[in-house]
Amino acid sequence: MAIGVFDSGVGGLTVHRKLVRRFPGADFVYLADQANAPYGGRPGEEIVELTRAGCDRLFAEGCDLVVLACNTASAIALRRLQQTWLPGRRRELGRPVNVLGIIVPTIEAATGLPWEHEAERRGDKVEKLDILAVFATPATAKSRVYEIEIDKRRQDVAVFVEPCPELAGMIEGNAGAVQLAAAIETHVVQITARIGRPPDRAILGCTHYEIVADMFRAALKPGTPLIHQPDATAEALAAYLARHPEYEAGSSGLRRFLTTGKPGAQHELVETFWEAPLSFERA
């Protein structure tokens, strides 16, 4: 038994690293769909099908539980897969399998409220708004998942989303630090102008962005808190496993890294983040 971690590319390694630290004895299989990365600019139906194929590949590797370490897949594909694909797939496999996303724990962390909570709509005037910036791929931004779900729970939080069409691809492609910092600075300036002032907090709504979190900190107003998706996801998975003993995480400390793209060593930006050489097998 193992836990699967799926992303379009290397961004999900930010979640994977936190999960490994949270569950050091567990078995993990990571799958990067680098042949089709990035997902953020793809049509919704393609994202659903690519995500389904990635989950199925991890099920075939013995993973009963898959974490979508990708905001785009979580926003566009997760609900469809849970409702229309997983029930039949469980019957075919003859075992419990499930797919979890990273947006639910992120929204719980941003609101300080459980997912099941929905605020009573009173229409009261909000004296002070908490301005939350979300930097995301175009597909995640188009879904409006952060605006909709946070508004259900907190009327005192105003969400502004900044689509960053090129950023995940730049990180995936090992762009230079100067080029990355300039792109991030542009997006911070743009969202600040739309808001009319700097945001109070920010979510890096694409797991690739955690690799360059220091550049976001440098571009944002000093001291702006970042809501870290890897931390929120690790705690949410711990709570889920405690509630669902039918899912086993394994105990041999297995670490496998698969890719649909070119197997072998990953590039310098990824290895600097990972703090060690990292090589992927062919999926």
Side-chain angles (χ1 to χ4, degrees):
M1 301 299 177
I3 296 172
V5 181
F6 177 73
D7 184 40
S8 62
V10 297
L13 291 170
T14 60
V15 174
H16 183 277
R17 184 172 71 164
K18 186 62 65 172
L19 294 179
V20 166
R21 290 177 177 176
R22 184 66 176 78
F23 307 97
D27 299 333
F28 287 94
V29 181
Y30 184 90
L31 173 59
D33 188 16
Q34 292 178 302
N36 297 295
Y39 280 9
R42 290 185 174 276
E45 288 302 317
E46 282 189 17
I47 294 167
V48 172
E49 180 54 29
L50 290 169
T51 305
R52 184 206 60 75
C55 292
D56 224 14
R57 182 71 176 86
L58 287 166
F59 292 158
E61 290 293 330
C63 301
D64 289 339
L65 197 60
V66 174
V67 177
L68 298 184
C70 174
N71 281 267
T72 301
S74 296
I76 305 301
L78 180 58
R79 184 171 294 182
R80 280 268 302 276
L81 296 182
Q82 288 175 332
Q83 292 177 346
T84 67
W85 177 64
L86 275 173
R89 199 70 185 104
R90 291 183 185 113
R91 290 192 295 271
E92 292 166 358
L93 292 171
R95 68 182 203 261
V97 293
N98 204 4
V99 181
L100 307 176
I102 58 175
I103 289 179
V104 168
T106 304
I107 288 172
E108 290 180 330
T111 61
L113 296 167
W115 182 254
E116 297 77 15
H117 178 88
E118 288 197 17
E120 182 181 350
R121 315 303 293 186
R122 296 184 177 182
D124 298 338
K125 182 179 179 181
V126 176
E127 295 296 331
K128 180 174 172 55
L129 278 176
D130 176 17
I131 305 297
L132 177 62
V134 180
F135 298 91
T137 66
T140 300
K142 187 177 180 181
S143 77
R144 301 194 72 247
V145 63
Y146 282 103
E147 296 101 310
I148 292 168
E149 297 299 341
I150 290 176
D151 182 64
K152 285 181 184 178
R153 294 158 177 82
R154 292 278 300 272
Q155 290 181 272
D156 61 338
V157 178
V159 180
F160 290 80
V161 179
E162 173 70 10
C164 307
E166 77 295 339
L167 193 52
M170 291 172 65
I171 295 167
E172 194 75 28
N174 195 27
V178 172
Q179 186 183 2
L180 284 166
I184 290 167
E185 175 71 27
T186 296
H187 288 301
V188 170
V189 168
Q190 288 175 175
I191 197 169
T192 300
R194 283 199 287 121
I195 296 169
R197 66 173 179 85
D200 298 310
R201 298 182 293 156
I203 293 173
L204 304 185
C206 171
T207 51
H208 281 78
Y209 303 170
E210 282 283 340
I211 294 175
V212 291
D214 58 329
M215 296 183 186
F216 275 96
R217 290 191 192 95
L220 290 161
K221 181 181 176 181
T224 303
L226 295 182
I227 296 167
H228 293 284
Q229 294 190 301
D231 296 323
T233 303
E235 292 311 308
L237 181 59
Y240 183 86
L241 290 172
R243 296 193 307 270
H244 295 275
E246 68 270 27
Y247 294 107
E248 297 180 18
S251 58
S252 68
L254 172 73
R255 309 284 183 263
R256 290 186 66 201
F257 299 88
L258 309 177
T259 181
T260 61
K262 183 180 179 182
Q266 290 300 297
H267 60 62
E268 181 182 359
L269 183 62
V270 172
E271 292 194 342
T272 299
F273 167 80
W274 193 254
E275 299 177 339
L278 185 62
S279 185
F280 284 7
E281 307 170 39
R282 187 182 303 280

